[in-house]
């Protein structure tokens, strides 16, 4: 797999499995990135209401660091019904957006899916079809 081109420091970003100590950083990134959508969809996007402690129990939650700064996070699990690696959320810190970190995390997910013998990567997005029914 080709290397990702990311505009960042000279050190490569690194991933590590999130711990309970990372929950405040995840919540901060999620709230900063998604709060702008609340008015548009009429509710908080799913990642903003997520129980991250529970999420860590049932899915893999990864943190992305670059030069000792947390710049992103994503969580995923194997979806047996679709034979895919399903990403529930991918978020880049508001101050680090536009530098290729989201791309880097998605490329990592693709590599992880290949290692696990999965046919694809799927990404969860908010479902807007029932918004009018909820208002």
């Amino acid at each position: 797999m080709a290397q990702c081109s990311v505009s960042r420091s000279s050190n490569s970003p690194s991933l590590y499995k999130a711990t309970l100590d990372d929950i405040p950083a995840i919540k901060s990134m999620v709230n900063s990135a998604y709060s702008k959508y609340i008015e548009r969809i009429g509710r908080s996007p799913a990642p903003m209401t997520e129980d991250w402690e529970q999420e860590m129990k049932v899915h893999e939650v990864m943190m992305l660091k670059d030069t000792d700064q947390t710049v992103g996070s994503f969580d995923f699990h194997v979806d047996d019904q679709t034979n895919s690696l399903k990403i529930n959320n991918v978020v880049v810190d508001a101050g680090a957006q536009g530098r290729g970190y989201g791309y880097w995390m998605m490329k990592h997910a693709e590599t992880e899916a290949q290692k696990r013998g999965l046919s694809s990567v799927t990404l969860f997005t908010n479902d807007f079809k029932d918004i009018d029914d909820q208002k």
Side-chain angles (χ1 to χ4, degrees), residues 61-126:
V61 180
M62 303 298 293
M63 302 297 289
L64 180 65
K65 279 197 160 191
D66 195 4
T67 318
D68 296 325
Q69 178 185 356
T70 301
V71 294
S73 176
F74 69 106
D75 62 288
F76 60 91
H77 68 280
V78 173
D79 184 346
D80 293 327
Q81 290 180 337
T82 60
N83 192 39
S84 70
L85 188 78
K86 183 173 182 179
I87 298 173
N88 292 335
N89 181 56
V90 60
V91 64
V92 175
D93 182 82
Q97 291 179 1
R99 298 182 194 162
Y101 294 119
Y103 176 82
W104 195 91
M105 288 185 283
M106 292 301 293
K107 292 308 267 184
H108 177 80
E110 289 176 1
T111 300
E112 188 65 28
Q114 288 175 346
K115 286 181 187 176
R116 295 175 186 221
L118 302 171
S119 62
S120 62
V121 174
T122 58
L123 176 63
F124 172 82
T125 59
N126 272 288

Side-chain angles (χ1 to χ4, degrees), residues 6-60:
V6 176
S7 173
R8 54 178 157 61
S9 70
S10 59
N11 297 328
S12 290
S14 61
L15 283 170
Y16 67 92
K17 187 171 180 161
T19 67
L20 296 178
D21 291 338
D22 292 308
I23 291 175
I26 295 169
K27 286 182 176 182
S28 177
M29 286 187 292
V30 163
N31 289 340
S32 177
Y34 294 115
S35 62
K36 62 186 173 189
Y37 298 111
I38 295 172
E39 186 175 337
R40 178 179 173 200
I41 65 174
R43 68 178 189 275
S44 296
M48 292 180 74
T49 61
E50 188 69 64
D51 177 345
W52 288 100
E53 186 172 343
Q54 179 63 24
E55 188 71 8
M56 287 179 184
K57 290 178 183 176
V58 296
H59 297 145
E60 295 183 54

